C-alpha cells in the first residue's frame, strides 16, 4: 500500500542546518517523520512548522524510540499553539533586554554558546504567576531567537549567576520549576549544562523541592555550586579564554559594565 504524500513546510527554519542524527537507522527516522506529517493526531497541530532541526532534537532526546519521540512531539506541538510560539519572536522584550540581565558570552568545551543570567540585574517575581510566566517567556524568546539566527547550532550552556544578588532579585521554586520544565520538555536537548551559583541554604531548599518535577536526565545537567567552588566548576567545562574574568577566566565580558537599563542584549556576541 502506498503511503500518503507528506507535506512539510520548513517555516521558519533556523539559520543553520539540522544537527546530525545520532540514534536509530535512516529508515526508522524516515518513518518517524512520515508519521508526524500524515498521522491524523497531528493534523490540527501544524506539523509542517516543525523543522528538521527540531525533529532531530526530539528523535535524539528519546534515543530513537519512535513511540516516546512522537508523544513528545505531540505534546510540544500542542504547547506551541497555546504558547503562541510562532509569533513569539515578534514580541517586544526590549525592556528586559535593556537590563543586561540575560546575554550570551563565550563558548563551552563543546563549542556551544554560553547564556548568562545575572540575577543582580533582575527584579524578582515575588511568586506572582503572571510575572513568572513573563520571565520564563523572555528566556525562551532569547533562546528561540538564538536558534533562529544560528548562534545556537545544537545546544547551549546556561549560567544562572547569583553573585551580588539580594532578596529583591530572588526567585523561588515556582520559577525554577517553570523554567526548567519548559526547557526540558519543549526545547529538547538544547541545554548542554546548567550551573546555578553561588548557592545557599535557600537555593538548596528550592532545588530540593523542584527536582521531583524534573526529568532525571535534565537534573544530571544541573550543577549547584557554592561561593568557594563555582569558579573551579565553570573552568572544568568552559575554556579560560571563553570564561569571563568575573568567573576566573581571561575573557573580557563587555556586559560587565551594563546595568540599570543602559544596554540591550546583542545575540551576535559570541558568534563564530
Amino acid at each position: 500500500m502506498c503511503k500518503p504524500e507528506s507535506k512539510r513546510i520548513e517555516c521558519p527554519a533556523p539559520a543553520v542546518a539540522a544537527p546530525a542524527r545520532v540514534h536509530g537507522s535512516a529508515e526508522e527516522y524516515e518513518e518517524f517523520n512520515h508519521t508526524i506529517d500524515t498521522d491524523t493526531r497531528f493534523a490540527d497541530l501544524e506539523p509542517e512548522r516543525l523543522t528538521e532541526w527540531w525533529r532531530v532534537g526530539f528523535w535524539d532526546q528519546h534515543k530513537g524510540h519512535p513511540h516516546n519521540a512522537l508523544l513528545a512531539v505531540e505534546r510540544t506541538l500542542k504547547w506551541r499553539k497555546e504558547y503562541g510560539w510562532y509569533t513569539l519572536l515578534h514580541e517586544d522584550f526590549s525592556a528586559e533586554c535593556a537590563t543586561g540581565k540575560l546575554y550570551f558570552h563565550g563558548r563551552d568545551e563543546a563549542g556551544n554558546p554560553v547564556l548568562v543570567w545575572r540575577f543582580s540585574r533582575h527584579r524578582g517575581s515575588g511568586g506572582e504567576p503572571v510575572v513568572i510566566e513573563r520571565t520564563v517567556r523572555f528566556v525562551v524568546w532569547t533562546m528561540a531567537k538564538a536558534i533562529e539566527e544560528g548562534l545556537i547550532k545544537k545546544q547551549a550552556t546556561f549560567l544562572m549567576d547569583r553573585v551580588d544578588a539580594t532578596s529583591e532579585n530572588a526567585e523561588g521554586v515556582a520559577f525554577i520549576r517553570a523554567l526548567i520544565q519548559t526547557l526540558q520538555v519543549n526545547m529538547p536537548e538544547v541545554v548542554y549544562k546548567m550551573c546555578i551559583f553561588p548557592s545557599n541554604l535557600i537555593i538548596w531548599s528550592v532545588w530540593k523541592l523542584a527536582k521531583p518535577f524534573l526529568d532525571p536526565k535534565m537534573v544530571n545537567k544541573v550543577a549547584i555550586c557554592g561561593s568557594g567552588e563555582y569558579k573551579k566548576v565553570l573552568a572544568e567545562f568552559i575554556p579560560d579564554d571563553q570564561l569571563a574574568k568575573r568567573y576566573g577566566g581571561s575573557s573580557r565580558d563587555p556586559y560587565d559594565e551594563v546595568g540599570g537599563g543602559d544596554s540591550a542584549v546583542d545575540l551576535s556576541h559570541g558568534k563564530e
Side-chain angles (χ1 to χ4, degrees):
M1 180 181 295
C2 294
K3 296 180 180 178
E5 182 182 359
S6 300
K7 295 181 180 180
R8 191 189 317 173
I9 302 172
E10 297 290 329
C11 174
V16 294
R21 174 178 48 80
V22 175
H23 298 283
S25 67
E27 292 76 15
E28 290 171 326
Y29 181 65
E30 181 181 358
E31 182 63 30
F32 164 73
N33 274 325
H34 180 76
T35 302
I36 294 174
D37 294 330
T38 62
D39 194 296
T40 55
R41 62 175 151 156
F42 298 105
D44 296 326
L45 301 178
E46 302 181 278
E48 69 276 4
R49 288 179 177 266
L50 191 68
T51 67
E52 188 71 9
W53 195 96
W54 290 101
R55 292 173 186 236
V56 171
F58 281 109
W59 178 259
D60 281 342
Q61 181 187 36
H62 296 281
K63 298 182 178 179
H65 190 291
H67 177 73
N68 293 343
L70 288 168
L71 285 177
V73 168
E74 183 178 11
R75 181 173 58 241
T76 293
L77 288 179
K78 288 178 179 178
W79 171 83
R80 286 187 174 190
K81 291 194 74 172
E82 296 170 358
Y83 200 72
W85 171 266
Y86 300 112
T87 58
L88 177 63
L89 293 182
H90 302 294
E91 293 181 20
D92 182 10
F93 287 97
S94 56
E96 287 85 352
C97 289
T99 65
K101 65 183 178 183
L102 186 64
Y103 58 90
F104 288 94
H105 178 78
R107 293 182 178 273
D108 62 28
E109 60 186 355
N112 303 307
V114 177
L115 182 60
V116 182
W117 177 276
R118 301 280 286 270
F119 269 91
S120 61
R121 297 171 179 172
H122 170 67
R123 184 184 294 274
S125 66
E128 292 291 331
V130 173
V131 182
I132 290 173
E133 168 63 20
R134 174 70 180 179
T135 303
V136 171
R137 199 170 180 84
F138 173 48
V139 176
V140 173
W141 174 85
T142 301
M143 297 186 76
K145 188 172 177 62
I147 291 169
E148 185 77 9
E149 296 186 356
L151 177 56
I152 296 179
K153 292 179 171 59
K154 184 176 182 180
Q155 293 181 302
T157 282
F158 196 179
L159 306 185
M160 301 184 74
D161 173 3
R162 297 183 57 259
V163 175
D164 299 327
T166 68
S167 58
E168 294 183 357
N169 313 120
E171 289 291 357
V173 63
F175 169 76
I176 297 297
R177 185 172 62 195
L179 174 62
I180 297 181
Q181 280 187 328
T182 297
L183 295 180
Q184 75 176 9
V185 174
N186 302 299
M187 304 188 82
E189 291 297 292
V190 174
V191 176
Y192 178 69
K193 292 182 185 293
M194 178 180 287
C195 190
I196 305 173
F197 61 89
S199 63
N200 56 22
L201 183 59
I202 295 176
I203 293 299
W204 277 111
S205 299
V206 167
W207 180 239
K208 185 177 180 180
L209 292 171
K211 280 175 66 176
F213 299 94
L214 306 176
D215 187 307
K217 186 175 181 180
M218 186 68 181
V219 169
N220 290 335
K221 295 181 178 183
V222 179
I224 312 291
C225 304
S227 59
E229 62 178 342
Y230 72 85
K231 291 183 178 180
K232 180 180 178 181
V233 171
L234 294 178
E236 291 175 356
F237 62 89
I238 302 178
D240 178 78
D241 65 345
Q242 298 294 310
L243 186 62
K245 292 179 180 179
R246 64 187 274 105
Y247 305 137
S250 62
S251 177
R252 175 184 172 273
D253 182 349
Y255 291 108
D256 270 343
E257 293 77 35
V258 174
D262 22 49
S263 183
V265 175
D266 177 8
L267 291 182
S268 66
H269 182 65
K271 279 191 176 182
E272 292 177 339

